[in-house]
Amino acid sequence: MTDTLNMFESFDGQQLAWREMGEGRPVVLIHGFFSDAQTNWIKYGTAEKLAAAGFRVIMPDLRAHGQSARPHDAAAYPPDALARDAEALIAHLGLTDYDLGGYSLGARTTVRVLARGVAPRPRRAVLSGLGDEGVTDTGRRTGFFRSVLTGFGSFVRGDREFMSQAFLKTTGGDPIALLGILDTFVDTPRQALAGFDLPVLVVAGVEDDEVGSFTGLVAMLPDARFVEVPGNHMSAVTRPELGDAIVTFLTA
């Protein structure tokens, strides 16, 4: 099954890309930091599984990622820029009855879309690779990512930054543009999460210890369920079990 690449103009005029696969009920899936739609959702089969289950899978490339614009100007990275990009895409496509989800930074962006309440509320939400600290304390890991990006190319095997550096090399990321993404992060307080009046799937790798507690996040949400899949924070998104869990949840 093939996908199509499309472009749209976001809230501030930046040209952003999205990929589509399949026909049917729309589901917007947002990838993680340093990644892109192709790597997170298409390469390992998640998008194809959803398309086969009757979904129109809509997969944006976040700004500074993939085929989207990679501006170096700090003004291109205001707080909540990623949520505003998602809202702009939802408006551009005229979506009113749809599902929404993401992996890691994409899941955090999903949380911000829900918390802001600007876009129409999705029917269901998928938060994969995201724990409680990734929502309520977004600054906890910015120092690590800033180190990876400012020292890009200098890390060797054994350095804690090495695997992230290696992944960024595989996706062809722009370290300067990606530094701007760190300035867009916004914490979401517990009281906002308590107002999420929709079913939520929290799904994560059993070995993922990078983004806080997944059961802690579930406890903050009024209608959430937790599914564990094999892998750690970097590998869980590549596992077929992740796609299976998302399909099961969205078709229930």
Side-chain angles (χ1 to χ4, degrees):
M1 193 175 296
T2 59
D3 64 281
T4 60
L5 177 65
N6 313 272
M7 303 296 295
F8 77 104
E9 186 175 290
S10 195
F11 68 93
D12 60 350
Q14 296 292 337
Q15 292 293 312
L16 304 184
W18 88 90
R19 293 183 180 274
E20 278 202 30
M21 181 183 293
E23 298 179 352
R25 178 178 182 80
V27 54
V28 179
L29 293 180
I30 308 172
H31 65 79
F33 200 26
F34 291 9
S35 193
D36 52 44
Q38 171 68 33
T39 302
N40 266 187
W41 306 121
I42 298 172
K43 183 176 182 180
Y44 298 103
T46 297
E48 188 166 5
K49 286 183 178 180
L50 282 162
F55 288 88
R56 173 191 176 193
V57 192
I58 300 162
M59 303 161 282
D61 279 347
L62 295 170
R63 66 176 56 204
H65 295 77
Q67 301 301 309
S68 289
R70 302 180 176 193
H72 288 187
D73 184 355
Y77 300 97
D80 264 341
L82 305 184
R84 295 174 70 185
D85 287 337
E87 292 160 1
L89 177 59
I90 290 164
H92 175 76
L93 295 174
L95 303 181
T96 57
D97 184 16
Y98 67 104
D99 299 312
L100 177 65
Y103 190 84
S104 193
L105 178 57
R108 183 190 296 165
T109 302
T110 298
V111 168
R112 292 306 305 155
V113 170
L114 295 173
R116 285 165 54 82
V118 174
R121 180 59 58 98
R123 179 194 62 152
R124 295 184 177 211
V126 175
L127 306 180
S128 54
L130 185 72
D132 53 3
E133 291 180 3
V135 174
T136 61
D137 185 13
T138 58
R140 185 177 70 88
R141 297 191 73 225
T142 55
F144 169 77
F145 288 121
R146 198 172 298 278
S147 174
V148 172
L149 294 167
T150 56
F152 183 70
S154 68
F155 303 108
V156 298
R157 192 174 298 278
D159 293 339
R160 70 187 189 104
E161 297 91 345
F162 178 77
M163 291 304 296
S164 293
Q165 173 185 269
F167 179 63
L168 185 52
K169 287 181 178 179
T170 68
T171 59
D174 179 338
I176 296 175
L178 290 167
L179 274 169
I181 295 293
L182 301 178
D183 297 325
T184 71
F185 294 172
V186 175
D187 293 346
T188 302
R190 289 173 175 264
Q191 55 267 36
L193 295 168
F196 285 9
D197 56 347
L198 76 169
V200 178
L201 171 68
V202 177
V203 55
V206 66
E207 299 172 35
D208 188 346
D209 59 359
E210 296 188 19
V211 288
S213 168
F214 303 108
T215 56
L217 178 59
V218 170
M220 291 189 282
L221 296 163
D223 185 8
R225 68 288 327 261
F226 176 45
V227 174
E228 280 187 331
V229 298
N232 56 31
H233 193 70
M234 293 192 71
S235 65
V237 73
T238 73
R239 300 289 304 209
E241 292 89 348
L242 183 86
D244 293 339
I246 294 172
V247 169
T248 298
F249 173 68
L250 294 182
T251 56

